[in-house]
Amino acid sequence: MQSTELGNKESGKIWHRKPSPATRDGIIVNIIHNTSDYLPKVLRFLNMAFDNSGDCLIAGDHQGNIYVFDLHGNRFNLVQRTAQACTALAFNLRRKSEFLVALADYSIKCFDTVTKDLVSWMRGHESSVFSISVHASGRYAITTSSDTAQLWDLDTFQRKRKLNILQSVGIQKVFFLPLSNTILSCFKDNSIFAWECDTLFCKYQLPGPPESSNILYKVFAVTRDGRILAAGGKSNHLHLWCLEAKQLFRIIQMPTKVRAIRYLEFLPDSFDAGSNQVLGVLSQDGIMRFINTQTCKLLFEIGSLDEGISSSVISPHGRYIASIMENGSLNIYSVQSLTQEINKPPPPLVKVIEDSPKNKLNSGNLKVKVTSGRVQRPAKSRENKIQTRILKQDLTAHFENKENELSDGLSKKRLQILLKGYGEYPMKYRMFIWRSLLQLPENHTAFSSLIDKGIHVAFLTLQKKYPIKSRKLLRVLQRTLSALAHWSAIFSDTPYLPLLAFPFVKLFQNNQLICFEVVATLLINWCQHWFEYFPNPPINILSMIENVLAFHDKELLQHFIDHDVTAQLYAWPLLETVFSEVLTREEWLKLFDNVFSNHPSFLLMTVVAYNICSRAPLLNCNLKDDFEYFFHHRNNLDVSVVIREVYHLVDTTPPDIHPDSMLDVFVALTKGQYPVFNQYPKFIVDYQTQERERIRNDELDYLRERQSVEDMQAEVDQQRIEDEAWYQKQELLREAEETRRKMLLREEEETIQQRQKLAAMRRELKVKEMHLQDAARRRFQKFQQSQCETELRRLNDEIERKAHLRDREIAPTAKDLEMRHLELESQRRLYEKNLTRNQEAVAKEMREDTDAHRRKVDLEEHMFHKLIDTDQTLNEKTQKLIEENLAEAEQACLNTDSRIWALHKQRCDNLQQNECYKDMAKLLQKNRKEIEVLNAVMGEEAKKWEEAKEKDFILKSEKKASALSDASRKWFLEKEISDASEHAEYPYNQVVTRYRNKQATSSCLPGTSQLHDASRTESATRISLNQRKTPWDTTEQDLMERVRNLRQRLTTQARNRYQTPHLLAA
């Protein structure tokens, strides 16, 4: 069998030499997907599917890696990484390069294997999709989840129909019948319906299974011609339905070892015209059996108990079988090799009998008459007719594991008799007998949950302490120890656990579940009380061994005592290694045949027997190193003699020191979930766990602090780089500024030089003109006047032109200088502005507030002084009258405030009296004799209320007089101000009026909370006098009305308070 590891390769060959599958197992190649880490992890394949040709297989693992295996071209390719587990696959679409994959997020995606692009993304399911069925034309697909089934059009990738059902019913499977237009829907209540694909019309419904069968259908399979439906479930019965007759026509009973059926599929044949007769049945034990549905014979099987199959699929042409094993790998089987024994031609019917050399026939020879003519074929015997439909094994089938033929319920007494007779169990059946003796539950789910937790931290560096050449054996040992550590925390701190488990791991390395359960059963039963003195050796167990040794061989024990050899030296090394260091493989197996067949105390007796049988060499040892060497290496000792001595010790040991009286009987592991193992000092293990957690947290803190320091250092470096870049930028700007300043100075000097040149040229021109004039005057005296005029005009034009030209040359230069000066000035101001912006922010706000307040005060003072100046021009009598009225108004306000304070004090006294009344009312409920005192108090309260009413009326009258005085004063002031402001400007008039309004408002003090309505009436009256200029009579009537309303409200409140003590007294 060839094996291929995919690793991180995206493409490559499936096999490197021509496959030659053996007839025994028929495996072409075993495909494993491991990670390339230091501790490789198996990536388990979950789903697979063949294409229409049957030569290409697509498979996806639990990390979302999807591979295409071309079995004809011997190539594999990684076509997609979906980053999540796939729950279903389909590869038989109309476009051959496309495939459908259902993902863990309930979506369905379509990819192209050539371009590796996403073709479409379909959503609509609310739970995991576990089945995808594609129509024979490849145009439609049905996706099934537990709550719904949906029909999709693969041309547009749109949903056409959706099957909604009751939540209590549930869907088992919905699929297309091969080569037809019919949809078959199977539900969890065993109802099966057939639907027309186009119209979704219900064609028929199959009747329910017979009541005696008591089976719930879970898996289904249909022949290629769509005539026969096979259904199975959690039972060893198979139901065959004829879809044409719509009735159950056969029930096949599988062997008793089959308790549940997990998968069904018919094996196609090129010569049966679609009426497939070979059915593949995958059962709960991981073995897929192929049976003939007509003869009910077992043809062949794939998988074993050690290497079970979790799911399988058959190619459309029937040449290959692809199976996902329980360890996550992928096996490809050759159907031709598996059926080679079945398809052998029958032996010849004509036998030729040769004469003996002496031409004499003995009496024992069979006489056969050879006749000419055609050969007569033997008639069919009645045995060939199958009367019952119970599945039988074919005699030609070949099996590797003969122990499967034994029944599960073995008799322990008969096994012990057999063991005493032969000394050991047969090699073929030893593992099966051990599993039966230990009653292993085979809890796949619980073991998978322990394995999924990964390698335990305590065993990550196991290879350093125990260097094992075989990486597979090391990996299995790590997983087994990690599962034990995840099962119980003490096993992560047990130093001798690898030594104890290693022989079992080496023995069961191909079946990790059995290995784990054997070691766990050993720890629970044969290691009882081992962990009570953890982390020290089990002193109680060693004391039992020492007591037994003292009874049977006192001389040997005294020899041990004389040389300071304790049970920790002559017993504990044998126990912690379960004799694997001192025995060979065959001897160890023979010993544990007896250990597993007897009481747990048998192992302790074995330690005593080993010492007694070795007493001669032990008595010759005098050094402690010699004793240590003896108990850690193999010795020349017959294990059969040791076992006989163990049985002798078991029979002759007194009950008071016999270990079986102190150890419990054998207890098997529970099914479903493993039992809790807490037979150890929990506080020690918890302390060690806490210490390790503390160290790990300290490491994390250190790493976190180091990371923060590195981040701070990086930030400092980044800040330093930014600062350097800023300084460089500033330096560049300064250099650019200096360069520009130098350029400006140089241009200014050039401009001055040009001006000097122009002045020199003008002087030369003037001199030349004077010479020309003199020469012309001398030469042309007659024409002097006309020539001079012409020359002057010409010179004037020339001077104007040159002056204009000079101005045109100087103007741009001056403008450029001005612009550069402005730019420099703006930059300087911008820099100054940026430097002083932060300093001026707070000062500006304070300055603005101060300036606004100062302007306001100045304006008010100015208006006030102006008003005073204006008022001084008025009549002194008017001013005196105003002052007198103002003084009276202020006196009235003071009187009102004093009365308000007095009334407020009275109200506080009233509140205190009310509290006193309440207390008195409570006392009156206890003592009715104090009613007279209460009546006197109530009378006093009535007097107080009358006095309060009078004071309230006086207060309101004073308030009214004050309001009238204020109103008259304000009316007078407004009149005077209007008369005085006739000579002033209009803007100042508004300011003076506003100032007087503020002064008039501030002159009135606020009242108490009980006179809030009155003060609000007064303020409303002032606003009415200032703004609306209403007549005085209307204002007075309004004030009187509000005073009456306030008096009524206060009277009502007083009555309510007066009635409260009466209610309390009642």
Side-chain angles (χ1 to χ4, degrees):
M1 180 185 70
Q2 299 186 49
S3 181
T4 302
E5 289 195 6
L6 302 182
N8 291 332
K9 295 184 290 185
E10 295 188 358
S11 62
K13 291 184 178 181
I14 303 176
W15 52 77
H16 296 281
R17 64 179 184 273
K18 185 177 180 180
S20 56
T23 306
R24 179 175 53 86
D25 54 12
I27 299 177
I28 299 175
V29 65
N30 172 248
I31 301 172
I32 304 173
H33 191 191
N34 291 336
T35 58
S36 60
D37 301 334
Y38 173 71
L39 296 174
K41 182 180 180 182
V42 177
L43 300 181
R44 303 170 60 88
F45 287 101
L46 297 180
N47 289 280
M48 56 193 170
F50 279 99
D51 65 348
N52 288 322
S53 66
D55 292 329
C56 285
L57 172 71
I58 189 169
D61 59 22
H62 71 273
Q63 285 191 355
N65 302 312
I66 300 177
Y67 290 86
V68 171
F69 300 94
D70 185 0
L71 303 180
H72 180 73
N74 188 23
R75 298 291 299 176
F76 72 87
N77 291 288
L78 177 63
V79 296
Q80 198 57 237
R81 285 191 175 98
T82 60
Q84 53 183 321
C86 60
T87 57
L89 285 169
F91 199 21
N92 53 345
L93 278 64
R94 183 162 62 177
R95 292 176 287 273
K96 296 183 178 180
S97 63
E98 295 179 358
F99 67 92
L100 293 176
V101 54
L103 301 175
D105 61 353
Y106 314 149
S107 65
I108 303 102
K109 292 184 179 181
C110 180
F111 294 100
D112 193 295
T113 58
V114 178
T115 63
K116 301 182 182 180
D117 294 334
L118 176 64
V119 179
S120 181
W121 192 348
M122 297 175 285
R123 291 182 175 272
H125 284 276
E126 296 180 356
S127 59
S128 179
V129 177
F130 56 80
S131 172
I132 300 177
S133 177
V134 181
H135 192 264
S137 63
R139 182 178 177 183
Y140 302 108
I142 295 177
T143 57
T144 308
S145 61
S146 60
D147 55 354
T148 183
Q150 301 185 13
L151 177 63
W152 303 86
D153 189 344
L154 298 183
D155 290 338
T156 61
F157 295 100
Q158 298 293 324
R159 184 174 63 189
K160 293 187 63 178
R161 294 288 189 275
K162 181 179 180 181
L163 175 63
N164 293 318
I165 61 169
L166 295 176
Q167 189 176 3
S168 59
V169 177
I171 299 175
Q172 288 289 5
K173 192 174 182 181
V174 180
F175 56 95
F176 287 103
L177 290 182
L179 305 177
S180 68
N181 208 26
T182 304
I183 300 174
L184 213 62
S185 60
C186 310
F187 301 96
K188 292 183 178 180
D189 59 353
N190 283 352
S191 59
I192 301 175
F193 293 86
W195 311 82
E196 184 67 30
C197 177
D198 297 331
T199 61
L200 292 182
F201 175 74
C202 183
K203 298 173 66 174
Y204 58 85
Q205 178 185 0
L206 295 181
E211 297 180 357
S212 60
S213 61
N214 192 16
I215 179 175
L216 290 177
Y217 295 152
K218 290 184 177 297
V219 290
F220 307 88
V222 182
T223 57
R224 297 291 294 173
D225 57 4
R227 295 181 179 180
I228 297 176
L229 171 68
K234 196 173 182 180
S235 172
N236 64 344
H237 288 83
L238 278 175
H239 288 189
L240 298 182
W241 292 83
C242 179
L243 297 181
E244 292 181 346
K246 304 176 186 58
Q247 63 181 0
L248 180 67
F249 73 94
R250 185 169 300 162
I251 298 177
I252 300 176
Q253 181 180 352
M254 298 294 290
T256 56
K257 289 176 288 186
V258 177
R259 298 190 299 272
I261 298 172
R262 294 163 53 183
Y263 182 72
L264 292 173
E265 188 169 1
F266 282 95
L267 180 64
D269 194 345
S270 303
F271 304 102
D272 59 3
S275 59
N276 313 128
Q277 297 182 0
V278 180
L279 177 63
V281 182
L282 177 61
S283 57
Q284 90 289 341
D285 55 2
I287 299 175
M288 191 169 186
R289 301 169 174 84
F290 288 83
I291 63 173
N292 190 313
T293 58
Q294 298 296 325
T295 62
C296 294
K297 285 188 177 183
L298 177 63
L299 304 180
F300 61 91
E301 63 183 23
I302 58 175
S304 64
L305 294 175
D306 294 334
E307 296 181 359
I309 299 173
S310 61
S311 63
S312 185
V313 65
I314 303 175
S315 62
H317 52 48
R319 297 177 188 171
Y320 304 109
I321 300 174
S323 299
I324 296 177
M325 313 306 290
E326 291 180 350
N327 59 6
S329 62
L330 179 64
N331 280 359
I332 308 296
Y333 297 88
S334 172
V335 178
Q336 183 180 0
S337 299
L338 293 170
T339 58
Q340 189 172 0
E341 291 289 335
I342 302 172
N343 296 330
K344 279 185 177 180
L349 298 178
V350 177
K351 301 290 184 179
V352 178
I353 301 176
E354 297 180 355
D355 293 337
S356 63
K358 297 181 181 181
N359 294 326
K360 292 183 180 181
L361 298 176
N362 296 328
S363 61
N365 292 339
L366 180 63
K367 295 182 179 179
V368 177
K369 183 179 180 180
V370 180
T371 58
S372 61
R374 62 190 183 91
V375 178
Q376 298 292 333
R377 296 184 178 273
K380 295 183 179 179
S381 64
R382 293 182 180 179
E383 294 177 357
N384 293 334
K385 295 182 180 179
I386 307 300
Q387 299 296 334
T388 60
R389 294 302 178 182
I390 298 177
L391 183 63
K392 298 180 180 179
Q393 282 191 341
D394 193 0
L395 296 178
T396 61
H398 181 74
F399 301 97
E400 182 181 2
N401 299 323
K402 294 296 186 60
E403 66 268 17
N404 292 336
E405 299 177 357
L406 297 175
S407 61
D408 293 338
L410 298 178
S411 175
K412 189 173 182 179
K413 293 183 179 180
R414 295 181 62 185
L415 289 175
Q416 289 176 347
I417 294 172
L418 178 66
L419 182 63
K420 288 183 179 180
Y422 292 94
E424 60 179 338
Y425 292 126
M427 181 63 68
K428 290 184 179 180
Y429 307 111
R430 174 176 278 124
M431 299 300 104
F432 178 71
I433 293 174
W434 282 16
R435 289 161 62 180
S436 301
L437 289 173
L438 300 178
Q439 303 176 21
L440 303 183
E442 299 185 19
N443 299 327
H444 293 273
T445 304
F447 179 70
S448 298
S449 64
L450 293 175
I451 290 296
D452 291 341
K453 293 180 180 179
I455 303 299
H456 198 275
V457 181
F459 304 108
L460 288 176
T461 60
L462 185 65
Q463 188 178 10
K464 297 180 181 179
K465 190 174 182 181
Y466 301 100
I468 302 175
K469 293 181 179 180
S470 175
R471 294 184 61 85
K472 178 182 178 183
L473 191 60
L474 175 64
R475 188 163 58 249
V476 175
L477 179 61
Q478 274 186 324
R479 291 177 181 173
T480 304
L481 297 178
S482 299
L484 290 171
H486 291 309
W487 175 43
S488 182
I490 191 173
F491 297 131
S492 62
D493 299 322
T494 306
Y496 56 85
L497 185 63
L499 299 175
L500 186 143
F502 180 74
F504 298 99
V505 170
K506 193 172 183 179
L507 189 62
F508 297 99
Q509 58 182 326
N510 293 326
N511 194 331
Q512 300 178 32
L513 172 63
I514 300 300
C515 176
F516 170 79
E517 293 186 349
V518 169
V519 177
T521 306
L522 179 71
L523 291 170
I524 290 178
N525 294 279
W526 282 270
C527 299
Q528 297 181 38
H529 309 294
W530 280 28
F531 306 99
E532 292 180 357
Y533 295 91
F534 184 84
N536 300 316
I539 301 173
N540 49 354
I541 299 296
L542 299 180
S543 299
M544 296 181 195
I545 296 173
E546 188 173 352
N547 293 334
V548 176
L549 182 60
F551 178 80
H552 292 282
D553 198 340
K554 296 181 179 180
E555 181 183 359
L556 181 60
L557 180 60
Q558 187 62 38
H559 180 71
F560 286 153
I561 296 173
D562 293 340
H563 293 86
D564 196 18
V565 176
T566 62
Q568 296 186 16
L569 184 57
Y570 66 80
W572 182 236
L574 300 176
L575 288 176
E576 66 180 358
T577 60
V578 285
F579 293 90
S580 61
E581 287 184 348
V582 298
L583 298 177
T584 62
R585 174 185 172 88
E586 289 75 15
E587 293 173 345
W588 186 86
L589 292 173
K590 188 175 182 179
L591 173 63
F592 269 85
D593 285 342
N594 292 270
V595 170
F596 287 152
S597 300
N598 290 278
H599 191 270
S601 62
F602 190 89
L603 183 63
L604 305 183
M605 290 297 191
T606 306
V607 176
V608 179
Y610 187 85
N611 282 271
I612 293 174
C613 293
S614 305
R615 68 188 311 273
L618 288 173
L619 290 174
N620 293 327
C621 293
N622 297 321
L623 299 177
K624 197 169 184 179
D625 294 338
D626 296 339
F627 287 104
E628 291 181 357
Y629 182 86
F630 183 85
F631 289 105
H632 284 282
H633 292 80
R634 295 176 183 175
N635 303 294
N636 188 13
L637 185 65
D638 188 4
V639 72
S640 300
V641 176
V642 175
I643 293 173
R644 286 197 299 270
E645 182 65 23
V646 173
Y647 283 109
H648 174 70
L649 295 176
V650 170
D651 295 335
T652 59
T653 302
D656 55 343
I657 63 172
H658 203 293
D660 61 357
S661 62
M662 307 173 196
L663 299 180
D664 298 332
V665 296
F666 173 80
V667 178
L669 296 177
T670 57
K671 290 188 177 181
Q673 294 291 334
Y674 295 115
V676 177
F677 187 84
N678 55 3
Q679 301 173 4
Y680 56 89
K682 193 172 184 297
F683 67 95
I684 296 178
V685 178
D686 292 343
Y687 175 74
Q688 294 179 352
T689 305
Q690 291 174 2
E691 285 297 312
R692 285 198 303 271
E693 186 68 20
R694 183 184 62 78
I695 293 171
R696 189 176 69 85
N697 292 332
D698 292 342
E699 272 188 36
L700 292 177
D701 294 338
Y702 166 72
L703 293 175
R704 195 179 299 109
E705 290 178 0
R706 189 176 69 179
Q707 183 66 29
S708 62
V709 170
E710 291 177 355
D711 293 342
M712 291 175 63
Q713 184 64 32
E715 291 179 0
V716 170
D717 295 340
Q718 182 67 23
Q719 186 65 32
R720 188 180 67 256
I721 293 171
E722 291 178 357
D723 293 342
E724 291 178 356
W726 185 82
Y727 284 120
Q728 290 178 0
K729 186 176 180 181
Q730 295 298 321
E731 185 67 22
L732 292 175
L733 290 174
R734 188 184 62 77
E735 291 176 358
E737 185 179 358
E738 291 293 335
T739 305
R740 181 163 295 182
R741 187 180 293 109
K742 291 179 181 179
M743 290 174 61
L744 290 174
L745 293 174
R746 189 167 53 252
E747 290 178 356
E748 187 176 358
E749 291 176 357
E750 291 177 356
T751 305
I752 293 172
Q753 291 177 2
Q754 289 179 0
R755 290 179 179 176
Q756 291 176 357
K757 289 180 180 180
L758 289 175
M761 289 176 66
R762 283 197 297 270
R763 286 194 299 270
E764 291 177 0
L765 288 175
K766 289 180 179 179
V767 171
K768 288 181 180 180
E769 288 175 359
M770 292 174 65
H771 289 301
L772 289 173
Q773 289 176 1
D774 292 340
R777 191 179 297 108
R778 285 192 301 269
R779 291 178 183 179
F780 304 103
Q781 290 179 358
K782 293 181 180 180
F783 303 99
Q784 183 177 4
Q785 186 175 359
S786 60
Q787 187 66 29
C788 287
E789 291 177 358
T790 305
E791 187 66 19
L792 286 173
R793 283 196 300 270
R794 186 182 65 79
L795 291 173
N796 289 331
D797 294 338
E798 186 69 18
I799 290 169
E800 291 178 359
R801 184 182 65 80
K802 290 183 178 181
H804 183 65
L805 181 61
R806 181 195 63 191
D807 295 338
R808 288 177 60 187
E809 291 177 355
I810 293 173
T813 305
K815 291 182 179 180
D816 291 341
L817 291 174
E818 292 177 359
M819 290 301 294
R820 290 189 181 91
H821 180 70
L822 291 175
E823 290 178 358
L824 292 174
E825 185 66 23
S826 64
Q827 290 181 358
R828 183 181 64 79
R829 292 179 179 178
L830 181 61
Y831 295 152
E832 293 177 355
K833 183 179 179 180
N834 291 332
L835 291 174
T836 59
R837 181 178 297 172
N838 295 329
Q839 297 178 357
E840 292 179 356
V842 179
K844 184 178 178 181
E845 294 179 359
M846 296 175 62
R847 189 168 54 251
E848 288 178 356
D849 296 339
T850 306
D851 292 343
H853 180 69
R854 187 184 297 111
R855 287 194 299 270
K856 181 178 178 181
V857 171
D858 293 340
L859 182 60
E860 291 177 353
E861 288 180 355
H862 176 70
M863 296 302 296
F864 181 73
H865 288 301
K866 187 176 180 181
L867 180 60
I868 291 173
D869 293 338
T870 305
D871 292 339
Q872 287 177 357
T873 58
L874 298 176
N875 194 358
E876 293 180 356
K877 294 181 179 181
T878 305
Q879 184 176 1
K880 183 178 180 180
L881 180 61
I882 292 172
E883 291 177 355
E884 292 176 355
N885 292 333
L886 181 59
E888 292 177 358
E890 289 178 355
Q891 185 64 33
C893 290
L894 292 175
N895 296 333
T896 306
D897 290 340
S898 62
R899 291 183 178 278
I900 290 171
W901 177 80
L903 182 61
H904 178 68
K905 186 175 181 181
Q906 292 176 2
R907 292 294 175 88
C908 293
D909 295 338
N910 292 335
L911 291 176
Q912 293 178 358
Q913 289 180 0
N914 288 335
E915 294 295 331
C916 294
Y917 293 161
K918 290 179 181 179
D919 295 338
M920 292 174 65
K922 292 179 182 178
L923 294 174
L924 285 174
Q925 290 180 359
K926 297 180 181 179
N927 189 0
R928 294 293 182 177
K929 296 180 180 181
E930 298 180 359
I931 297 176
E932 296 178 358
V933 179
L934 180 61
N935 291 331
V937 172
M938 291 173 59
E940 186 67 23
E941 182 186 7
K943 293 179 181 180
K944 290 288 184 178
W945 277 112
E946 291 295 333
E947 185 180 356
K949 287 181 183 179
E950 293 176 0
K951 291 181 178 180
D952 190 11
F953 178 75
I954 294 171
L955 177 62
K956 290 179 180 180
S957 299
E958 293 295 334
K959 193 67 178 179
K960 178 180 177 183
S962 177
L964 293 175
S965 176
D966 291 341
S968 62
R969 178 173 54 83
K970 289 185 179 297
W971 176 78
F972 181 78
L973 290 174
E974 287 176 1
K975 181 178 179 182
E976 293 298 327
I977 290 170
S978 61
D979 293 338
S981 61
E982 289 179 359
H983 303 283
E985 293 180 356
Y986 177 72
Y988 292 101
N989 189 12
Q990 294 181 348
V991 175
V992 172
T993 305
R994 192 179 298 111
Y995 176 78
R996 292 299 183 94
N997 291 335
K998 291 181 179 179
Q999 186 177 10
T1001 305
S1002 62
S1003 63
C1004 296
L1005 296 173
T1008 60
S1009 58
Q1010 296 178 353
L1011 299 177
H1012 179 68
D1013 294 336
S1015 62
R1016 184 172 57 187
T1017 305
E1018 182 184 3
S1019 62
T1021 306
R1022 289 200 301 268
I1023 293 171
S1024 176
L1025 289 172
N1026 291 332
Q1027 295 180 358
R1028 299 182 181 179
K1029 306 295 183 178
T1030 55
W1032 173 251
D1033 297 334
T1034 305
T1035 303
E1036 184 178 2
Q1037 293 176 1
D1038 188 31
L1039 284 173
M1040 293 300 295
E1041 182 67 21
R1042 289 181 180 274
V1043 168
R1044 283 193 295 270
N1045 292 335
L1046 181 60
R1047 184 182 300 171
Q1048 293 177 1
R1049 194 179 303 120
L1050 292 174
T1051 304
T1052 305
Q1053 292 178 359
R1055 289 176 180 176
N1056 292 334
R1057 291 193 186 96
Y1058 179 75
Q1059 292 176 1
T1060 301
H1062 292 281
L1063 294 174
L1064 292 173

